[in-house]
Amino acid sequence: MLKNQTYLITGIADKNSLAMYVAKEVIKNGGSVVCTGLGVSKFHHNLSERATSFLNKNFEDFKASITEELGDYQTEILDVTLEENVEDFAKKLQAKGVRLNGFLHAIAMDKTIRDKKVKPLLDVSLSEFCDTMDVSAYSLIRLSHYLLRYNVLQPGASICSLSYIAAAKVTFHPYRNMSIAKAALERITVELADELGRKHNIRANAIRFSTYMGSKAGNATLTDADVAKSEKMSPLGNASPQDLANEVIHLFRPNGRITGEIRHVDGGYHITG
Ligand SMILES: NC(=O)c1ccc[n+]([C@@H]2O[C@H](COP(=O)([O-])OP(=O)(O)OC[C@H]3O[C@@H](n4cnc5c(N)ncnc54)[C@H](O)[C@@H]3O)[C@@H](O)[C@H]2O)c1
C-alpha cells in the first residue's frame, strides 16, 4: 500500500509511544520511515545538567527502541521548539535527497500536568501557556513550513496529527492547558488542509485517540481509573494503538481525497457523556 513512500515519524520516545506503532505499520505496508527524537542538539544553549542528562537519556532510549523495533532507519535529533533545529533538519533531509510523502505529528508537552494532577487554568502562567502551545500546536506549522521550504515534503503528501477529545469537551481526566493546545492543533490542521491542499495538493488531518497509559505522556497524565472509565463509556471500548496506526496508514495512502478532518479513533467515546 505504501510502496516507494517515505514518512517522517515524530514523537517516538520508546517502544510504547503511539508513533512507534505507526512507524511499524508504515514499514509493514512497504513504506520507509525517518524518525526524530528529542535530544541535545547543537542549537541548545545554556542547558542545565539535569536537562542535558534528561535529553541524552531520552535520545538513547529513542535510538535503542528504533533499532530493536524497526531496524536500520534514519534517526535525527529534533526539538520542534528550536527554529534553527527544525530548519537544519529540513536542510539535512534535502541534502540527503529524502523526499517525504507525509509525516506524523505526535508531539505534546505540558508542564502544568504533574503527578497526574493539573494546574487550574487560572494559575497557568503566560510562559506555561506559550510553551505548551509552542511544543504541542505551533510545531505543526513550523515543521510544515521548513519541510516545504526545502522541498522535502512532496506534492500529494499527507500530514497527520494526534489529538484528543479534550480539544472540544471538558473531560474527566487532567487536561486544562493542554486542551487549549489540542484545540489549536486541530484548528491549525484544518487551516493547513485548505492552504496546503490548494497550493500543493497536500492533505492534513487530525485523529482524536482514546486514553492510553502505555506511553510516557499517557502514564504521566492518566490513572487506571481514567482508562477504565473511558473503556466503559466507549461503545466499542477503548481503541488500541494498533487501531490508531491502521487509521494513520489509511490517511497516509497516496492519492487520498480525505483532508481537513478531525477523526475519532476512540471506540465511539466521543458520542457519549
Ligand atoms: N496517550 C494518550 O492517551 C493519548 C491520547 C490521544 C492523543 N495522544 C497524543 O499522542 C501524541 C503522542 O503521545 P504518546 O501518548 O505516544 O506519548 P509519548 O510520551 O510516547 O510521546 C510524546 C512525544 O513528544 C515528544 N516531545 C516533547 N517535547 C518535544 C519537543 N520540544 N520536540 C520534539 N519532540 C518533543 C517526546 O519526546 C515524546 O516522544 C501526543 O500528541 C499526545 O497528546 C495521546
Side-chain angles (χ1 to χ4, degrees), residues 7 37 40 55 61 64 68 76 88 99 102 120 151 156-157 162 166-167 172 189 195 203 212 225 233 242 265 270:
Y7 298 87
V40 179
L55 289 172
D61 291 349
E68 265 167 45
E76 299 289 345
D88 184 66
R99 298 287 173 262
N151 298 317
L162 301 188
F172 53 86
T189 301
E195 209 168 287
R203 294 160 279 153
Y212 166 64
M233 284 173 74
Q242 187 59 46
V265 177
H270 65 287

Side-chain angles (χ1 to χ4, degrees), residues 11-13 17-18 38 78-80 106-108 135 163 182 210 212 215 217:
I12 294 180
S17 292
L18 292 170
L38 197 51
L78 184 68
D79 183 331
V80 289
I107 293 171
V135 178
S163 188
K182 287 297 188 198
S210 291
Y212 166 64
S215 63

